[in-house]
Amino acid sequence: MQGDTIVAIATPVVPQQGSVGIVRLSGEKALSIAKSLFHAPGKQVWESHRILYGYVSHPETGKTVDEALLLIMQSPRSYTKEDVVEFHCHGGMIPVQQVLNLCLEQGARLAQQGEFTLRAFLNGRIDLTQAESIAELVGAKSPQAGEMALAGLQGKLAQPIRELRSTCLDILAEVEARVDFADELPPLDNTEIQQQVKAVLSRVEDFLNTADQGELLRTGIKVAIVGRPNVGKSSLLNAWSRTDRAIVTELPGTTRDVVESNLVVGGIPVEVLDTAGIRETEDQVEKIGVARSRQAAEKADLILHTIDAQLGWTEEDDLIYEQVKARPLILVINKTDLKSPQTVNYPDTIQNTVATAAAQSQGITDLESAILSLVQKGNVNAANRDFAINQRQAATLTRAKTALQHVLETIEQQLPLDFWTIDLRSAIQAFGEITGEEVTESMLDRIFSRFCIGK
């Protein structure tokens, strides 16, 4: 519950990895707990926004746990607007875990997922869109996704949403005034009200148009490279990722399992799966690899059906194509340094083709352009938009859109003013749910449960 003091490890804890580990406290006892555990030698001053050097020790035994730095941020000038202290310990599992345990022994409670950011929201430091942007910034998979999350953190979504809500509140006030004081006020200008509602509706539709782009930048796409053995799938992955992730030999069936690589193409995170060659085989290990290849293809957002330009399209490719043609697909004609792609025949139903010579790292730029074109995001660039809404915000704005459309229908049908107010209130509530001005406990639980502990 808010008001007690919470503690959590605020950095990843991996054995023998990371030079610094941070233990964060927030709450009314944060400073007193820090004073009971931290010894700052000399005449260092304990005041807000100072960094102290010293030792973390057990308060009863005096045993030193770690040499550390202590950062003090007193209310209200902190992330949560409460007293916050951070122990900056040596990295690794043992030092931070020992400091965490000491804080718990001194009366702090282990923080729940996202509880620090939840307190920042409840204490009015940030709104709900900014809280969600923090989670998106932490989980960003590309620079563009990070820029878009940062724009949300800076309030570029919240401010226009508040303006739309304010406009709807003004309209509602005008309508309700006529309901209560019909004889004392001039009649409403229905045309003016319609224009105002249409303007709000237009902005809502603009926001909804950012949802697909935002989702693409946040989650990216999964691409599976499939084909017969020895057509150059692994060479394609290596050339594309500029690494030697996959083993490349002239022996068919070298790849026995799915090899993954994460790239960024045009600002879009792309998870590339190099799969085992799909063919009938008696080798039990290779059979397992082929089965995993088919599973990867089923889960992929895009298929790169790769063939050998020298051998062309074969009966085996017919079988593979039948299994994957239901998904978006690009035919990659590889090894074109050995034979022209114009001489290769393939089914007329394939609309997207790219010629590559993976062993020579040729055609990769064309492949990326084809992917961006196919997903119709060739102009994806965070600089082109101030923000992009997430799924929760899109669902809520869709409710607002429906309510505003009902308001327009009500006006056109000349229904009583009481009917106008019902849908106006629905739109106002939806806008409030986006920024957190109208929010339920269950909604907060759902949002902040997706945060990491310590944030």
Side-chain angles (χ1 to χ4, degrees), residues 378-455:
N379 61 344
V380 168
N381 189 332
N384 289 339
R385 291 192 185 273
D386 287 333
F387 58 82
I389 61 175
N390 60 32
Q391 288 182 331
R392 182 193 74 86
Q393 294 159 357
T396 307
L397 280 174
T398 300
R399 283 173 38 218
K401 176 183 175 180
T402 301
L404 293 168
Q405 289 172 333
H406 287 166
V407 173
L408 293 175
E409 292 170 4
T410 301
I411 296 173
E412 290 171 2
Q413 294 170 11
Q414 298 183 344
L415 294 175
L417 296 182
D418 287 339
F419 287 86
W420 301 24
T421 63
I422 295 172
D423 292 309
L424 280 169
R425 288 196 186 96
S426 295
I428 290 167
Q429 180 177 356
F431 291 138
E433 287 179 9
I434 292 175
T435 58
E437 290 163 285
E438 299 194 37
V439 69
T440 63
E441 186 175 345
S442 61
M443 181 188 301
L444 293 179
D445 289 342
R446 187 166 64 252
I447 292 171
F448 287 96
S449 66
R450 293 193 285 266
F451 281 61
C452 58
I453 294 176
K455 192 61 181 174

Side-chain angles (χ1 to χ4, degrees), residues 107-178:
R109 170 177 63 78
L110 188 64
Q112 299 175 357
Q113 289 177 251
E115 192 169 359
F116 289 92
T117 305
L118 174 60
R119 290 193 173 195
F121 166 71
L122 294 175
N123 291 329
R125 185 183 179 278
I126 57 175
D127 64 36
L128 205 51
T129 66
Q130 292 172 308
E132 291 176 299
S133 294
I134 290 170
E136 291 164 5
L137 185 60
V138 171
K141 298 180 181 179
S142 70
Q144 287 82 352
E147 289 175 20
M148 197 160 286
L150 188 59
L153 184 56
Q154 293 169 340
K156 292 185 178 180
L157 171 60
Q159 184 57 37
I161 292 295
R162 288 197 184 97
E163 291 172 358
L164 296 182
R165 186 171 185 267
S166 178
T167 299
C168 289
L169 282 168
D170 290 342
I171 296 172
L172 179 62
E174 289 289 331
V175 174
E176 289 186 329
R178 267 59 178 195

